[in-house]
Amino acid sequence: MDHTELTIRITAEGQESTVLTKSHEYRSLMHLITDKLFLDGFGECGGMGKCGTCIVEITSCTGLPTALERNECTTLERAGKTRDNLRLSCQILIDESINELIINIP
Ligand code: FES
């Protein structure tokens, strides 16, 4: 398996953090954010794509994030979050496509 180094910039609660990881080090972007940033109430359903608490706004991305798309559209619609740059982080895989990703956690 490929273990490319990845850099991700995350703004949460007004603080910007640069997070380093490797391809497939975490099951999803939500798992990485939970592990590195300890945000209250983030990722409540554990990555099932159902709770909508792991929404991130993608500010900049060089590739197209690889998605699992398990329940993602329905959950975003139910939460009234249908803008293209809003995604469930639990449905985004940690791979080369998200290197240099910049996200904001609304
Ligand atoms: S963790 Fe629940 S929808 Fe992503």
Side-chain angles (χ1 to χ4, degrees), residues 30 43-54 75 88-91:
M30 179 279 285
E44 282 184 347
C45 73
M48 300 302 291
K50 293 199 162 166
C51 68
T53 61
C54 68
T75 301
L88 295 180
S89 60
C90 69
Q91 302 305 301

